[in-house]
Each structure stands twice: as C-alpha cells, then as structure tokens.
Amino acid sequence: MFDILIRNGIIIDGSGKAPYHGDVGIKGNKIKEIGELQDEKGDVEINADGRIICPGFIDVNNHSDTYWRLFVDPDLESLVHQGITTIIGGNCGSSLAPLASAKTIESIQKWVDLREINVNWLSEKEFLKVLDKKGVTLNFATMVGHGTLRRGILGDELRSFNAKEIKFLHKMLKRALKDGAIGMSSGLIYSHAKTAGIEELVELSKIVKDYDGIYATHVRSEQEGFLDAIDETIYLAKETGVKTHISHLKVMGESNWAKMDEALALISDAKEKGADMTFDIYPYTNTGSVLYTFLPDWVTEGGKKAMLYKLKDKEVRERVVSEMKSSPFDYSKVEISISPLDKTLARRNIMEIAKSQEKSVEDAIIDILIASEGRVIASIELLSEDNIRKALLHPLSMVATNGSGYSIEHMKSGEKVHPRSFGSFTKVLEKYVKTERLLSWESAISKMTGFPASRFGIWKRGFLKEGYFADILMIDSDRIKSPATTKSPYQYSSGIDLVMINGEVALNDDKFAGGKNGMVLRR
Ligand SMILES: [Zn+2]
C-alpha cells in the first residue's frame, strides 16, 4: 500500500538511460518502489498514461536568494511551473551567508528595500536555520559567495588581502562548508571581485576541494577576454583538482561568437586531461545583467566608485562613448529591467530614453549609470542561437535558469524580468527536444536532473530510484510549452502536469497547489 501510486508512466529516470513503461509507488517523502505495480494500491492513484514521469528539475544557477525572492515571495511559482524542485543559491559570487558582520548585507543587497526583511543571521548555520524555520517551497542548497566573503572582510575597499585577513577568509569559508554550504562561487566580472587574483581563488578552491565541494564561477570576461577567462578557470581546476563549474557559459557580441567553439574544445580537452569541468547554460539569446557589465572591461576595473568617477570625467567619458560606438554590442537594443533609483525607467528601451532626452544611446546609458550609481539591471540581445545548440549538445553541459522565482503578480512592480525565470527548462524541452529534435528526452532530462545532482552533491535526488526523495514530475509532451519571451516574460510554462516535492503535490493541472514542502539541504 502506497500513499501515492503513479500508474502507466513513461519512466525517464534521470540517468540518461532510455525510457521504459512502469509505475512508481511513493510512501511518505520517498520513492518506495518502481516497476510493474499493477497488483498494488495507493491512497491516491494517478494515471500517467502516455505521460513522462521523471525526477524534478534541479536548477544549479538560481538567484532567488540574493534577489530576496525566498523572503519576499517564497512560492517561487515561475520555477515550479517549469518543473524545478531544487534550487542552488549563492551563485555568481554572491550569497546571503556567511556575513562577517551585520553591515555586510548592505553590500550584497541589490534591489530590495532591506527594511522589509529581518536579517537575523551571520553564519551559514544560522542562515540555514532561519530558512528551516521559515519554510521553503523548493529544496534549497547554497554555495558560499566569494564576493560575500570578500566584502565581509574588506567592505568597499578594493585590494588584495593581508596575511591576517587571509587567515580569517579561509576560516570563514571552512566554517561555512562545515555548516552545510555545498561549495563556493565567484563572480569575477563584478567590480569587487575583479581585484581578486588567481592565487586567492586557487587557495580558496583547495579548501573547497578538501570538503569535496564544488567551485562555480561566473568567469572574468564574456566578451573579448572570454578565452583567457576560460583558460584561467581551467588552470584553477588543474591546479586544485576541485570540481569546477562554469556558470551560464556564454560569449556576448557577434564578433566574439566564434570563440564558443574554441571554449568548448578547451573544456573537453581539459576534461580529458583530468581537470574536473562542467558548465550550465540558459536557452535565450538575450542576456540580463547589471548594466555596467556591458561597458568595455577597462571602465569597470577598480570598482564601481572608480567607474563612476571615470564616467564623470569629460575626457574619459568621450573615450568610453567612442569605444561603445565601435564595439560589437548594439547598445540601441538595451532594455532597462530594474533601476531602483529611478523606477520610471523600468520597461523602457534605451532608444526611447535617448530620443526623449535628445542624446545618443551611449550618452543615455552613461547618464543612467551615473544617476543610479551603477545600480541598474538591463537586458540586451547579444548571444548566438547556434552557440546555445552547441553548448546544449556538449556532454558536460547542464540546463539552469540563472534566474529567480516570481509570481505573475510581480508584473505590477513594473520590473521587467528575464524570461529565463519563467521558461528555461520547458523551453529546452519544447524547442530543442520536441521541435528541433536536437536532444532526446532522456538526454535533456539527465542534464536537468541526475547530472546536476551528482555534480553538486545533492543527496538522494535527481534520479527516480527506490529510496530516493519523491521529487517527481509528470510531463505531457504534447502540451509542453514555454511562452515567456523578452517582450512578455510574465507567462507561466505549461505541460508539466504534476510537480511533487518530497512526496507532496506542489503543482497539479497547471495550478499551483501551495508549498513550503521543500527542504533546506546541507552538504
Ligand atoms: Zn553570473
């Protein structure tokens, strides 16, 4: 007798193996039995005839923590509708713990008024406990942000560490890993971390390796310096032996697109030679990030304050404008997503803004950066569709959103979110599996479940196996759809008929069924 019995499914178990027909019996929060269970009974029986039964998706590059969604709107519905049951936070160098002091949180907070949130933790242990108590809709695990450690110790100072500080830095990382963090992430494109040298990262990664954690990195350049950034990452992987993961692998600007072939070859080659490499991608050609990261690299060197100082200098500004005009980026395609200091800018194309202010697109961008002290999120169409296909086909790739969870209600805030937060996983299934037949169902699903689970050390999840946690999806392949677009992102995905998290139904017939049945996961 099971609590729930799913009958007659097409079972895709997350390992990449071919699908087979079978039944899944669930007892409590675990999978009790898989196979031919026609003689068995369940308190609840679900007929899965013609539909795929697979593990819940694991999103290894999620920002619901540092965008404060876990606190402000913890249902994370846009993620549940695309079949995600586990998210990993602390990405791209930024995590909500550990905090060296209460002041550290101010440097991490980006877009939310922190007065709404009671930040009553410092250590990783305390942070995870707060989440335990609050409850989470999706299972949540986190890495330690290298930028969070750095800012905790150095504040706004941009420099390398002295010997005493290094000791403290290492101690903080070790403690957080002991407390349950699953690894460390870096965001080497962001102003503060840009000053971190490779040796600092190598030493920290050795600690991560000691705890069998993962090192995930938003590499130092996704433009001209892309291949050097890949080389730097491979060097670290070889030097330390740490599990190394490149977050949202991509290269921006048409004149840089050809570099993707070489990057993928470098990664394969490094893997063959023993470097432990993987990467994730999201399936959209527009990229959403902090606006200043789209400026030429030298402008943001030295940090945000230095950048604003440079932009305010007449001669430097002229040089920036002229470089922007001759760069491979089409700045006229910039869309302002969030600008907390000037909400009237939200949802506006830079061309419209420039026109209304009677200035060039480049000048408009610089003025917005100055007026909002660099705190603007923007989106531009800068990526290659072909590169997405190549990366998806690569054996070391997995699928992730690089987004956060939202409800459709969030539209009212005027913020224009990236469609990846609503449709990454379902878009891969709809477009690259179903329509283009680039990947098989089992191989795509393995890149969303078993592969990320093994890679990030997510215990007893990611596979349909007896004794594993019952994070389970039922997918109607005929109905699978990812309607969210850059123009109209606030649209839930459909075709995921059922989402079960730890044996409880979180989504049924495209309707969110309530939550807080996720678990806070520890290393
Ligand atoms: Zn990133």
Side-chain angles (χ1 to χ4, degrees):
M1 186 77 179
F2 301 109
D3 295 335
I4 302 175
L5 179 55
I6 304 174
R7 290 192 189 278
N8 302 319
I10 300 164
I11 294 181
I12 296 185
D13 70 1
S15 68
K17 276 192 294 207
Y20 63 94
H21 283 270
D23 315 313
V24 181
I26 294 136
K27 185 106 185 146
N29 60 12
K30 299 265 175 60
I31 298 171
K32 183 97 197 302
E33 212 174 334
I34 304 175
E36 303 203 344
L37 307 173
Q38 55 269 57
D39 300 333
E40 307 284 337
K41 279 206 156 58
D43 280 342
V44 176
E45 300 205 352
I46 297 167
N47 178 13
D49 213 5
R51 279 165 294 180
I52 292 167
I53 304 298
C54 71
F57 299 151
I58 297 174
D59 184 9
V60 300
N61 189 356
N62 196 282
H63 294 276
S64 296
D65 53 349
T66 48
Y67 276 49
W68 296 100
R69 310 307 307 160
L70 279 180
F71 294 83
V72 180
D73 186 9
D75 284 344
L76 309 178
E77 282 182 67
S78 65
L79 305 179
V80 180
H81 280 268
Q82 50 179 317
I84 298 168
T85 55
T86 299
I87 56 173
I88 292 170
N91 266 293
C92 298
S94 194
S95 62
L96 296 185
L99 306 173
S101 77
K103 238 179 106 54
T104 311
I105 204 73
E106 290 166 26
S107 60
I108 299 161
Q109 85 92 4
K110 292 188 173 91
W111 325 109
V112 164
D113 185 353
L114 275 182
R115 281 168 303 187
E116 294 170 24
I117 293 152
N118 180 17
V119 178
N120 55 352
W121 66 84
L122 289 175
S123 70
E124 190 73 62
K125 195 176 194 169
E126 287 162 350
F127 171 60
L128 296 176
K129 260 200 187 139
V130 166
L131 286 182
D132 274 334
K133 218 172 137 197
K134 236 183 88 51
V136 284
T137 297
L138 305 181
N139 304 310
F140 175 81
T142 183
M143 292 179 283
V144 177
H146 163 252
T148 298
L149 293 175
R150 228 176 182 276
R151 282 180 178 275
I153 296 169
L154 297 178
D156 282 337
E157 283 178 64
L158 294 163
R159 59 174 173 86
S160 35
F161 293 103
N162 64 38
K164 200 175 144 207
E165 287 162 345
I166 287 183
K167 256 193 161 161
F168 185 51
L169 174 75
H170 289 186
K171 206 174 129 193
M172 269 178 78
L173 175 61
K174 278 181 200 167
R175 167 108 192 263
L177 291 164
K178 266 186 207 153
D179 285 349
I182 61 167
M184 183 185 79
S185 77
S186 66
L188 303 179
I189 204 135
Y190 296 109
S191 53
H192 205 277
K194 272 196 170 185
T195 47
I198 183 69
E199 282 320 308
E200 175 180 323
L201 295 162
V202 163
E203 290 312 311
L204 290 167
S205 298
K206 283 181 182 163
I207 295 172
V208 175
K209 161 85 179 161
D210 286 343
Y211 287 84
D212 195 28
I214 190 157
Y215 168 69
T217 178
H218 178 152
V219 297
R220 219 177 275 273
S221 169
E222 294 175 332
Q223 317 178 19
E224 273 74 24
F226 179 56
L227 291 172
D228 289 337
I230 300 296
D231 273 336
E232 182 190 49
T233 311
I234 291 172
Y235 168 81
L236 178 143
K238 284 185 176 158
E239 206 53 27
T240 64
V242 75
K243 286 188 258 181
T244 303
H245 181 86
I246 299 172
S247 304
H248 49 65
L249 183 77
K250 62 180 185 294
V251 62
M252 309 190 293
E254 198 168 346
S255 61
N256 292 318
W257 286 352
K259 297 186 168 99
M260 184 58 107
D261 287 327
E262 197 172 336
L264 292 173
L266 283 170
I267 293 169
S268 302
D269 181 61
K271 171 83 181 173
E272 260 167 50
K273 292 185 175 136
D276 197 355
M277 306 283 301
T278 46
F279 62 92
D280 67 70
I281 63 149
Y282 61 81
Y284 296 87
T285 52
N286 70 312
T287 155
S289 192
V290 188
L291 180 58
Y292 71 70
T293 62
F294 300 123
L295 295 178
D297 279 335
W298 65 269
V299 184
T300 50
E301 258 154 38
K304 208 186 290 174
K305 272 195 190 134
M307 170 190 80
L308 293 169
Y309 187 78
K310 284 180 209 162
L311 293 178
K312 285 175 190 166
D313 179 289
K314 195 168 163 273
E315 273 168 42
V316 182
R317 180 181 173 127
E318 276 167 19
R319 192 180 144 204
V320 179
V321 169
S322 104
E323 280 195 27
M324 286 168 79
K325 288 198 161 138
S326 61
S327 95
F329 292 6
D330 182 356
Y331 287 101
S332 69
K333 286 187 179 155
V334 166
E335 298 270 341
I336 305 296
S337 314
I338 319 175
S339 166
L341 294 185
D342 186 352
K343 290 217 161 140
T344 59
L345 286 179
R347 306 197 65 147
R348 292 191 60 185
N349 173 272
I350 198 69
M351 283 276 268
E352 294 165 31
I353 297 169
K355 231 184 235 165
S356 72
Q357 299 179 351
E358 296 179 353
K359 53 177 98 148
S360 73
V361 161
E362 291 78 10
D363 278 308
I365 288 174
I366 292 173
D367 286 339
I368 291 168
L369 280 170
I370 294 172
S372 50
E373 292 165 8
R375 289 170 58 204
V376 189
I377 287 200
S379 152
I380 327 186
E381 187 76 22
L382 278 180
L383 305 176
S384 145
E385 177 67 49
D386 239 20
N387 282 347
I388 294 175
R389 292 196 184 93
K390 286 174 189 167
L392 268 176
L393 278 174
H394 195 281
L396 298 176
S397 70
M398 49 190 87
V399 177
T401 65
N402 190 25
S404 316
Y406 297 94
S407 74
I408 278 183
E409 302 300 303
H410 190 69
M411 187 169 25
K412 293 179 193 146
S413 70
E415 183 184 327
K416 193 159 187 186
V417 300
H418 194 291
R420 63 193 174 201
S421 293
F422 278 78
S424 293
F425 286 76
T426 36
K427 184 172 177 187
V428 168
L429 296 176
E430 183 195 358
K431 182 174 162 68
Y432 300 104
V433 175
K434 205 179 135 184
T435 309
E436 297 188 8
R437 294 173 185 266
L438 185 76
L439 291 168
S440 66
W441 284 92
E442 60 269 27
S443 135
I445 285 173
S446 145
K447 287 173 183 288
M448 302 170 172
T449 58
F451 193 31
S454 331
R455 188 64 181 159
F456 281 73
I458 306 299
W459 189 66
K460 293 212 169 188
R461 297 180 196 273
F463 298 91
L464 291 184
K465 268 191 195 171
E466 288 165 13
Y468 272 53
F469 287 96
D471 296 342
I472 299 176
L473 310 181
M474 181 162 79
I475 302 176
D476 184 344
S477 56
D478 290 338
R479 261 186 354 103
I480 194 88
K481 212 163 171 49
S482 173
T485 58
T486 308
K487 276 217 159 60
S488 181
Y490 287 97
Q491 300 187 70
Y492 290 137
S493 295
S494 55
I496 310 282
D497 281 354
L498 183 83
V499 175
M500 198 184 287
I501 300 175
N502 296 306
E504 296 277 341
V505 173
L507 185 95
N508 195 4
D509 278 339
D510 289 335
K511 272 180 216 74
F512 184 69
K516 299 257 168 109
N517 205 49
M519 289 184 191
V520 179
L521 311 178
R522 289 159 173 89
R523 191 184 59 84

